[in-house]
Amino acid sequence: MHSNQEINLPETIDGWKVEGPPQRIDHTTIFDYMDGGGELYLAYKFKSLLVYRYNREPEEEMLVEIYQMETPDETFGLLSLDWTGEPVNLSSAPAVRSENPVCPDYTALYGEGLLRARADSLYLRILASRETPDVRETILKLGKILAGKSPAQPPPAILDVVVPSTDSAWKIRPDRTAYFHSHLVLNSLYYLSHENILNLNHSTEGLFICFEKKERQPGSQLAKLIVIHYPEAPAALAALTSFFQSYLPEKADQVDLSPGLLKTGSTRVEDGWLGWTLFGNYLAFAFECPDQKAVTDIFSQLNFKTIKST
């Protein structure tokens, strides 16, 4: 597993010169470095950060941020929050693209002077104050120095829960798929409540996925799927109970919230149909479905029954 303590960046590259030793940041100083932005990285099991600053005349700056996260799943999660940009290959080996129906398989994205990349357990951000073709080339060179020898890492295992069906009228929008732990991150993807009503923390894993009709009509909306994996089944049931008591208290007495490993249902709400399904320590919700059949179609693309519940 890569460590940012083993990084050796060049002192000069293409006329750029590094400004002294890197700044070292940990949990105690991350908010001093980024006021307000630190919560995002802490939500993905942040360990440490190295910051290099490069300068080139006239007053050009380039910032290299190397985040050490606990696991490659965390770096996937950070990248998954925004799949926009130009996919780039930082490895010395030719890029091998597999067709992934659940999420893009990109490990690096470039756009407007910013490179974002995952390399094992490192998450990389390289940002230039001004973009030109030669600046882009330098950024990619630095990216290859940092990520070029990293072994390929699979996405988080929770993505295997979703098995797209060719028979369904609904298909996944891979460029909207995101992986998370924190309710703060979930709220940035799909707002539920300012409170942590699904009891999310570092011991839980979540997926946010958007579905669209294969034959979309003008003005049709996306349906949203949230899947949460809890450490044990009682925690998943407690989260379902908390959800209804907080999000839909008027319907809580109509839902079976007694102990049990399998529960499913749907109800009409303001913005369409809301569906839920509980299977052991997995809990899923479908939001903004146009009808009850859409809820069924979307849930049919979950393969909880092949997963051992706890």
Side-chain angles (χ1 to χ4, degrees):
M1 186 174 293
H2 274 5
S3 166
N4 65 8
Q5 306 302 318
E6 304 164 0
I7 296 302
N8 253 321
L9 284 178
E11 289 188 12
T12 60
I13 181 170
D14 298 339
W16 294 85
K17 184 175 181 180
V18 74
E19 181 186 297
Q23 183 179 0
R24 298 178 182 272
I25 293 161
D26 60 20
H27 291 79
T28 64
T29 55
I30 189 168
F31 289 106
D32 296 330
Y33 176 69
M34 56 175 81
D35 184 20
E39 288 286 0
L40 172 63
Y41 295 96
L42 293 175
Y44 283 102
K45 304 183 184 179
F46 166 85
K47 292 179 71 176
S48 62
L49 166 63
L50 290 182
V51 181
Y52 291 81
R53 291 177 171 84
Y54 283 84
N55 294 288
R56 187 178 73 169
E57 295 299 333
E59 297 184 351
E60 289 182 287
E61 295 180 341
M62 187 182 299
L63 191 69
V64 180
E65 296 178 333
I66 307 166
Y67 295 82
Q68 175 74 56
M69 314 304 287
E70 282 192 15
T71 70
D73 284 357
E74 310 311 317
T75 63
F76 173 90
L78 286 165
L79 192 65
S80 74
L81 296 179
D82 183 2
W83 291 111
T84 61
E86 170 198 353
V88 290
N89 179 30
L90 301 180
S91 172
S92 53
V96 178
R97 297 292 180 210
S98 59
E99 188 66 29
N100 189 330
V102 182
C103 69
D105 59 2
Y106 313 138
T107 58
L109 292 159
Y110 178 86
E112 298 181 353
L114 173 64
L115 174 70
R116 297 176 295 117
R118 59 184 294 247
D120 204 347
S121 59
L122 297 183
Y123 179 69
L124 314 173
R125 289 182 84 256
I126 305 178
L127 174 65
S129 57
R130 186 170 68 93
E131 185 190 32
T132 63
D134 71 300
V135 167
R136 178 186 184 278
E137 185 177 339
T138 302
I139 288 176
L140 295 183
K141 281 183 184 178
L142 288 169
K144 288 175 181 177
I145 291 171
L146 293 169
K149 295 182 180 179
S150 296
Q153 295 291 340
I158 190 175
L159 271 79
D160 294 338
V161 163
V162 185
V163 180
S165 168
T166 55
D167 297 330
S168 172
W170 291 82
K171 65 178 181 179
I172 291 173
R173 279 280 304 270
D175 63 332
R176 295 290 192 90
T177 296
Y179 171 83
F180 62 90
H181 302 287
S182 157
H183 81 283
L184 297 174
V185 174
L186 173 58
N187 277 346
S188 72
L189 299 164
Y190 191 81
Y191 184 82
L192 291 179
S193 168
H194 66 281
E195 296 180 342
N196 185 11
I197 64 174
L198 291 178
N199 304 334
L200 301 177
N201 54 53
H202 278 175
S203 72
T204 58
E205 293 181 284
L207 275 184
F208 175 75
I209 294 177
C210 289
F211 284 80
E212 65 182 0
K213 289 290 279 295
K214 289 180 178 175
E215 295 183 8
R216 295 192 69 189
Q217 302 297 323
S220 62
Q221 63 185 23
L222 300 177
K224 284 82 174 183
L225 173 70
I226 295 172
V227 182
I228 313 290
H229 177 225
Y230 292 87
E232 62 279 323
L237 178 58
L240 180 63
T241 302
S242 171
F243 173 83
F244 273 101
Q245 291 175 345
S246 302
Y247 193 79
L248 287 174
E250 71 277 9
K251 295 183 182 286
D253 60 351
Q254 304 168 27
V255 179
D256 176 13
L257 298 172
S258 62
L261 292 179
L262 179 61
K263 298 179 186 298
T264 190
S266 60
T267 187
R268 188 170 181 82
V269 291
E270 277 187 27
D271 54 6
W273 281 81
L274 163 67
W276 64 92
T277 185
L278 171 77
F279 184 83
N281 55 338
Y282 284 88
L283 177 60
F285 295 95
F287 294 92
E288 300 182 16
C289 296
D291 49 45
Q292 211 166 7
K293 184 178 185 305
V295 174
T296 303
D297 280 358
I298 288 169
F299 282 163
S300 73
Q301 302 187 55
L302 297 174
N303 71 340
F304 294 140
K305 293 182 180 180
T306 67
I307 298 170
K308 183 180 179 182
S309 63
T310 58

